[in-house]
Amino acid sequence: MEGRALPRDAREPGAGDNSLGQLPEWNLDDLYKGTADPRIAGDLDWLATECAAFARDYEGRLGELDAAEMLTAVQRYERIELVSGRVMSFAGLRYYQCTTDPERAKFLGDTQGKLTDMTTALVFTSLELNRIEEARIATLMAASPELARYKPVFDRIRAMKPYQLSDELEKFLHDQSVVGAAAWNRLFDETMAALTFDVEGETLSLEATLNLLTDRDRAKREAGAKALATVFQANLPLFARITNTLAKEKEIEDRWRKMPTPQTGRHLANQVEPEVVEALRDAVVAAYPKLSHRYYALKAKWMGLEKLQVWDRNAPLPRDDDRLIPWAEARETVLAAYAGFDPRMAEIAEPFFDKGWIDAPVKPGKAPGAFAHPTVTDVHPYVLLNYLGKQRDVMTLAHELGHGVHQVLAAGQGEMLSSTPLTLAETASVFGEMLTFRRLLDATADPAHRKLMLASKVEDMINTVVRQIAFYDFECKLHAARREGELTPDDINALWMSVQAESLGPVFEFMEGYETFWSYIPHFIHSPFYVYAYAFGDGLVNALYAVYEEGDPGFQEKYFEMLRAGGSKHHKELLAPFGLDASDPKFWDKGLGLIASMIDELEAMEG
């Protein structure tokens, strides 16, 4: 599920605030009409039969198939992915609506277990495809244009060829995944959802406590930060155990697969070359002084402080507009921004609001943060928010709807080709945010309000680029250190602090307890090294937006074509029509230059 890293989405409590208007909730009927829907049992029965039949028909002979037979096999496999994806989407989305409900957790766990058992029969597919000679694959593709359309799928599978294990070991890994990473992931999610924080006598959830870090009252921000540190510290042994176990499990599997680095698997999944990611990482780290260090020094000056504390990082700026934005206004703002770019974009986004495709209110047990889940290509995406009426929440809506638009457009590629690598999956979401921001900025005549808007956007971009690359560096250090042995909570804390001071800059002081804040970030648990995709997407969009502002002829059509491509093309091929190339180290400097230019403008306003 694509979504935003939790730390980017600081909000404040107010779920029951009627001034926000009627907030929409999901209607999952387009997947299934409840857990008793007979179609669930029917689909599971079909999957059990079809998985066994697929194995019976093809195991041991995939390399012998002609083009027509291979096409049939691929289409049958795609149908299995579609049906299993529908069942898991339903189970997963129900669970995320209330992660503390034992019945929902059981339904998800049981469904996951059944599907894992059924699909073990399919593990041979990628193993046998990887044993076919390259020349044979080329011959098959040349013989059938319909099959050739699936070449990117074959390329993705065959990228794993050097790291493939024996058939027996691959089946074992597939089978035990339910009690491995998936089980530890659930333990983390359920623990986080159940945490409570005592803030000045009031008991709050994680989301509500994190939201205090954006409160106008500095004393409340401090109280929130200290409450977080107290609870994280109390639970640190468990979070360290989860982190150690998952990192060790990954190290073992990577070692058996002979993967050269802990990041290799993520780069392969993202279809991005390691050197491209390193160029991005190096460019951002080199830019820390002219981005985050410079901006936070300005923020300290605005706040009248010599030093910033960690609870000041996401503080509202003096004279910031703390008006709560009703849901209807948020909807109108985003749809108008989308329509201003191209009416088709607003038309695709509109049904999300009217048909139960968005779950917006904050509710007990609901998953924190925000995401857009594409479900399957014959249904539609669902968007999860925790909407509390802040301007940042409107940007989050624009972001997640961007994902939704992308997923709707890419669905035409079919189940196997619609999914976009994480590095490109952030393109439409960040672009949607930028459209919304620029529309609001252009409508602002008051210099003081313009300054606040620019500063807010700079903060968001720093959270997206600087902070996520710092997270990536933390993970790199963590996984390297875990290869040397078990890490104590203090060891992990020290790694966290080593990237915080470097990325945030000398104006910050770090309270006692901040060293534990790594523990609540879900991406470290669910998707190791995912975080660089945010920085990749932001840099890519900044470069794209520059091309758009320059009046590139036919930009909108080229943009829609890029989104429609889904995962069917490599990033080089997708960016070429815009004259962009992410493998060029200077490419990243363009995006970082846009952030720096906004800080230049803010500094000029000081004069």
Side-chain angles (χ1 to χ4, degrees):
M1 297 186 186
E2 280 119 19
R4 317 186 77 167
L6 188 59
R8 295 176 56 196
D9 288 338
R11 306 181 182 89
E12 70 181 45
D17 194 324
N18 291 332
S19 65
L20 297 179
Q22 185 66 39
L23 297 178
E25 298 188 52
W26 280 337
N27 177 352
L28 300 179
D29 286 0
D30 289 342
L31 292 165
Y32 298 102
K33 297 184 189 306
T35 52
D37 189 333
R39 289 185 303 147
I40 296 177
D43 282 348
L44 288 172
D45 287 346
W46 180 86
L47 282 166
T49 303
E50 179 59 11
C51 287
F54 188 92
R56 189 170 58 248
D57 293 345
Y58 296 115
E59 189 164 13
R61 54 181 296 264
L62 272 182
E64 303 164 9
L65 303 182
D66 63 24
E69 291 168 328
M70 183 65 82
L71 177 62
T72 299
V74 168
Q75 290 172 336
R76 284 179 64 180
Y77 194 98
E78 187 167 38
R79 178 67 187 162
I80 290 170
E81 285 205 338
L82 185 83
V83 177
S84 60
R86 180 191 291 268
V87 177
M88 273 311 297
S89 291
F90 177 73
L93 292 174
R94 276 188 81 248
Y95 171 72
Y96 283 118
Q97 282 183 299
C98 189
T99 61
T100 52
D101 179 352
E103 184 277 322
R104 292 175 190 239
K106 174 177 165 52
F107 183 78
L108 173 64
D110 288 349
T111 305
Q112 210 162 28
K114 288 173 187 174
L115 287 172
T116 300
D117 290 346
M118 292 172 194
T119 54
T120 298
L122 308 179
V123 172
F124 77 90
T125 310
S126 59
L127 307 180
E128 289 191 25
L129 286 176
N130 282 346
R131 286 199 282 267
I132 302 173
E133 292 298 321
E134 203 61 51
R136 172 75 179 150
I137 294 285
T139 301
L140 291 171
M141 298 293 163
S144 168
E146 279 186 276
L147 181 62
R149 197 175 77 79
Y150 290 96
K151 186 176 184 298
V153 177
F154 283 74
D155 291 344
R156 280 203 297 272
I157 292 169
R158 290 168 72 79
M160 279 297 291
K161 186 175 182 177
Y163 313 111
Q164 189 167 291
L165 301 174
S166 69
D167 293 17
E168 191 174 36
L169 268 175
E170 292 287 359
K171 287 180 180 177
F172 168 75
L173 286 173
H174 180 85
D175 268 355
Q176 68 88 45
S177 65
V178 178
V179 292
W184 289 98
N185 279 200
R186 269 186 61 191
L187 175 62
F188 174 84
D189 288 345
E190 289 164 10
T191 302
M192 273 295 159
L195 291 182
T196 57
F197 301 81
D198 182 358
V199 185
E200 299 175 333
E202 189 178 1
T203 300
L204 300 177
S205 67
L206 172 63
E207 186 83 3
T209 311
L210 285 169
N211 291 332
L212 287 176
L213 300 182
T214 66
D215 199 278
R216 185 167 298 286
D217 183 339
R218 194 167 190 236
K220 284 186 180 178
R221 297 199 303 272
E222 180 178 356
K226 289 183 174 176
L228 290 167
T230 300
V231 175
F232 293 160
Q233 183 64 49
N235 288 274
L236 208 56
L238 173 60
F239 294 134
R241 169 62 47 226
I242 293 170
T243 301
N244 267 291
T245 302
L246 288 171
K248 184 60 179 177
E249 183 188 61
K250 177 169 170 47
E251 185 274 324
I252 292 167
E253 185 170 333
D254 285 352
R255 175 160 34 91
W256 275 78
R257 293 190 183 283
K258 296 184 171 59
M259 287 193 169
T261 72
Q263 299 88 342
T264 298
R266 176 62 61 201
H267 298 337
L268 287 168
N270 285 345
Q271 298 158 56
V272 65
E273 300 75 16
E275 57 271 20
V276 172
V277 178
E278 283 310 296
L280 163 65
R281 181 261 169 206
D282 292 347
V284 173
V285 171
Y288 285 169
K290 68 178 182 183
L291 299 180
S292 46
H293 297 190
R294 193 160 59 115
Y295 173 74
Y296 288 128
L298 266 179
K299 184 166 187 175
K301 182 180 172 186
W302 294 334
M303 296 179 75
L305 299 169
E306 287 290 319
K307 289 280 187 180
L308 292 180
Q309 301 294 333
V310 293
W311 55 80
D312 297 319
R313 187 174 63 82
N314 283 324
L317 295 167
R319 299 183 302 282
D320 198 356
D321 178 12
D322 58 1
R323 177 181 71 93
L324 291 181
I325 299 164
W327 178 252
E329 184 181 332
R331 168 185 173 145
E332 172 57 31
T333 298
V334 175
L335 288 179
Y338 278 21
F341 172 71
D342 191 300
R344 291 173 294 175
M345 200 159 161
E347 285 166 18
I348 295 168
E350 195 149 15
F352 282 81
F353 293 94
D354 301 327
K355 296 190 175 181
W357 300 359
I358 299 176
D359 198 298
V362 176
K363 293 172 282 190
K366 181 177 172 179
F371 63 71
H373 178 45
T375 72
V376 284
T377 53
D378 64 352
V379 186
H380 53 77
Y382 281 92
V383 165
L384 179 138
L385 304 170
N386 280 277
Y387 187 80
L388 291 159
K390 295 295 228 178
Q391 184 166 305
R392 187 165 285 176
D393 294 336
V394 179
M395 291 299 164
T396 300
L397 172 62
H399 180 102
E400 300 305 339
L401 273 182
H403 279 309
V405 168
H406 195 173
Q407 291 159 357
V408 167
L409 286 168
Q413 294 289 344
E415 205 61 29
M416 285 178 135
L417 286 165
S418 60
S419 182
T420 313
L422 291 177
T423 41
L424 291 165
E426 291 302 320
T427 305
S429 53
V430 180
F431 196 85
E433 267 189 276
M434 184 65 86
L435 289 171
T436 305
F437 167 72
R438 289 291 184 183
R439 181 176 181 85
L440 291 170
L441 189 69
D442 290 345
T444 303
D446 175 31
H449 190 53
R450 181 180 177 85
K451 174 181 169 180
L452 289 171
M453 286 195 67
L454 270 173
S456 176
K457 184 61 177 172
V458 167
E459 285 201 12
D460 198 43
M461 292 167 112
I462 285 173
N463 281 339
T464 309
V465 178
V466 169
R467 195 138 174 85
Q468 303 305 321
I469 290 299
F471 287 174
Y472 176 68
D473 274 358
F474 166 71
E475 287 191 275
C476 291
K477 290 183 176 187
L478 176 91
H479 285 267
R482 184 64 182 92
R483 290 187 169 204
E484 303 303 314
E486 179 100 2
L487 300 174
T488 66
D490 285 345
D491 291 335
I492 306 175
N493 291 349
L495 294 175
W496 172 253
M497 292 309 296
S498 74
V499 301
Q500 293 303 304
E502 179 190 24
S503 62
L504 294 177
V507 78
F508 272 94
E509 286 181 345
F510 298 97
M511 70 171 190
E512 186 178 344
Y514 182 66
E515 66 276 5
T516 65
F517 275 45
W518 57 268
S519 61
Y520 81 98
I521 297 169
H523 290 67
F524 299 158
I525 302 301
H526 290 289
S527 314
F529 307 109
Y530 178 111
V531 288
Y532 75 73
Y534 289 116
F536 194 109
D538 202 88
L540 191 154
V541 166
N542 288 343
L544 254 185
Y545 201 86
V547 174
Y548 169 54
E549 283 199 314
E550 288 160 11
D552 180 59
F555 182 93
Q556 279 86 339
E557 202 49 58
K558 286 190 277 191
Y559 181 76
F560 275 89
E561 279 306 305
M562 179 174 70
L563 300 192
R564 285 190 197 101
S568 68
K569 293 180 180 178
H570 187 265
H571 63 79
K572 266 187 178 293
E573 197 179 350
L574 287 172
L575 292 175
F578 303 97
L580 298 172
D581 181 1
S583 62
D584 178 356
K586 293 175 185 170
F587 172 84
W588 301 112
D589 291 333
K590 285 182 188 174
L592 298 172
L594 177 68
I595 307 174
S597 71
M598 289 184 174
I599 301 173
D600 291 342
E601 187 175 345
L602 288 169
E603 283 183 335
M605 290 176 177
E606 292 299 294

